[in-house]
Amino acid sequence: MKADYQDLVDEISALLGAPATLENRDFGLIAFGAHDSDDDTAMDPVRTRSILTRKSTPAVRAWFEGFGITRATGPVRIPAAPDAGVLRDRICLPVRHRGVVLGYVWLLDADPGPSAGRLTAAMEVAERIGALLADEERADADLSRELRAVLTAEGGWQYDMAVAALRTALGRDAEGLHALLCVAPWPGPGTPSVRTAPGVAALCTVPWPARTARDPHPGGTGAGGAGAEAGGAGAGAGGAGAGAGGAGAPRAGAVAATAGRTPAGPGAADRGLAGPGAPPPGGAAHGLAALVRLRSAEAPAPALTAATRLRDAAGGGAPSGAPPTAVWAAGGAGAVPGAGHPAGTVVGVADPRRGVGDLAQAWREAASAARAALAQPRLGPVAPWASIGPYRLLTALPPAPPHDRAVRALLAPAHTELARTAEVFLDNAGQAGRTAAALGIHRQTLYYRLSRVENLTGLDLDEGEDRLLLHMALKTARM
């Protein structure tokens, strides 16, 4: 089908005597005519950017749409706008099908420009492009529906039927090598075109558990923070022995948790899906699944490229309205309380698989990797399943009560700094020197804080099982 678009764009270029560019309605590049002129003015930054990056800037899009191209049924002439980078006048041929605009053909305008007869002939070619785009949208919608059915099926015969339907819809692609991606959070229920990223065979949105704050404290210094440190050095002697032999664990103060744990059906919860009643407050209620073609399991570059493109399409940065209590959970070992939520949109990447029969397991991997990257941004923003370490086990745990009773007090808002200290200490294998350096505090202050952690939790940081419990509880609290 790509060749069909190129042939039609070349036909319009020949009719109007100027290189044409075809974009979809989201201003994503589909095809462009060859530029074989020695006149450098036949190119401008907007056309160059569209060809090189396959998209236009928001400023350019706003300028063009301001001339009514989304409603136009015939050619639209658009003047230059140097402030938006549009240095040349343009002609826009809206590409429509049954009254719906599906894309645009662009040409640089010149004086006197194409005749009315040639523009009419070019619009007839644009109608043929519209029919192709409509067919492609229908095919995308079918694939999206079948992929979503596989990822949300309850198992057993329902899953088998969904896989069979997806296999039919994919055709020859069904038996190829794929990587399944999970983009989360995704801004809304709408599914983008498969043209959004190269190598994508199918896309669909899925329910995604909303992230809400278990701890309403917005970060900063709690009772175990700087205020307590004033007397920490003198009190540290009692904590020195307690902390000297610890080992790695993350912190657990203000943690963004998973809400809406009701599964969409048997097995849906462990595939990372929220149930139909999952509430959206505190985060996006959708994720995006993407099935990406690979040539070799040892060459994951197409999946990583697609992940980057899809993350860009989602906005990439931290979601607006992210709860400030996500700071501690998302900030990594060296996070500064109150510094914001750096994770934003992340992408989990499952191990490559051949065929589509094992997509349920692939989705568990991709969704788990995305959840891990949201909880621990150092793993992302693109997190392959193989790279998330202990989170492979932690994300597989069944839904649990909000906090283990041993660490419930430590996770209170007043003890954010103590929880962070415990995490950094345990993440550094209980080495006091490295921990103090990472936190920027004196060793005696560290020992004092660790003694307070022991008092709050009743755990002995010299005991391996106690350290394991604390480590798991803090890591799980991030999820």
Side-chain angles (χ1 to χ4, degrees), residues 164-450:
L166 177 62
R167 188 175 285 119
T168 299
L170 284 170
R172 289 182 299 176
D173 276 347
E175 301 309 319
L177 190 66
H178 301 96
L180 189 61
L181 314 184
C182 173
V183 185
W186 182 257
T191 300
S193 167
V194 293
R195 292 182 175 277
T196 305
V200 173
L203 292 165
C204 74
T205 54
V206 294
W208 183 257
R211 288 168 63 86
T212 59
R214 284 179 178 168
D215 183 342
H217 186 56
T221 303
E229 290 167 22
R251 63 215 174 198
V255 183
T258 299
R261 293 280 193 162
T262 304
D270 58 337
R271 291 198 301 278
L273 303 178
H286 299 91
L288 181 77
L291 192 63
V292 181
R293 306 179 193 91
L294 298 178
R295 292 183 180 274
S296 166
E298 287 72 39
L304 302 181
T305 300
T308 301
R309 293 278 182 88
L310 291 169
R311 183 173 181 269
D312 288 345
S320 62
T325 49
V327 172
W328 179 87
V336 178
H341 189 309
T345 297
V346 301
V347 186
V349 184
D351 284 344
R353 286 170 170 78
R354 189 167 296 279
V356 295
D358 200 22
L359 282 184
Q361 177 61 29
W363 180 246
R364 279 190 286 270
E365 294 177 1
S368 294
R371 288 177 59 206
L374 286 170
Q376 183 67 280
R378 66 178 175 78
L379 298 174
V382 177
W385 162 253
S387 73
I388 64 174
Y391 283 97
R392 292 199 294 269
L393 297 177
L394 291 170
T395 56
L397 294 175
H403 299 308
D404 184 273
R405 64 182 182 180
V407 297
R408 194 169 296 144
L410 180 63
L411 299 182
H415 302 307
T416 300
E417 198 65 38
L418 289 181
R420 177 170 175 262
T421 298
E423 177 206 21
V424 177
F425 175 71
L426 296 171
D427 280 349
N428 280 284
Q431 297 187 26
R434 286 170 51 188
T435 304
L439 293 171
I441 60 177
H442 193 276
R443 281 198 187 203
Q444 289 299 102
T445 301
L446 171 64
Y447 296 146
Y448 170 70
R449 291 187 186 178
L450 293 174

Side-chain angles (χ1 to χ4, degrees), residues 47-96:
R47 187 168 195 268
T48 301
R49 177 186 171 88
S50 177
I51 292 172
L52 293 179
T53 69
R54 309 188 73 83
K55 61 184 178 181
S56 296
T57 66
V60 168
R61 178 171 180 168
W63 176 254
F64 290 156
E65 289 181 340
F67 289 88
I69 60 174
T70 60
R71 303 180 301 277
T73 57
V76 178
R77 280 191 156 88
I78 301 175
D83 290 346
V86 183
L87 305 184
R88 295 280 306 275
D89 296 349
R90 274 172 168 71
I91 298 174
C92 174
L93 307 179
V95 176
R96 307 181 74 88

Side-chain angles (χ1 to χ4, degrees), residues 1-6 8 22 95 97 102 126-138 195:
M1 187 171 285
K2 184 176 181 180
D4 295 334
Y5 289 126
Q6 188 63 58
L8 293 173
L22 172 63
V95 176
H97 182 76
L102 299 178
E127 289 181 11
R128 288 152 54 197
I129 295 175
L132 282 178
L133 285 173
D135 289 342
E136 184 176 291
E137 281 204 353
R138 282 191 292 270
R195 292 182 175 277

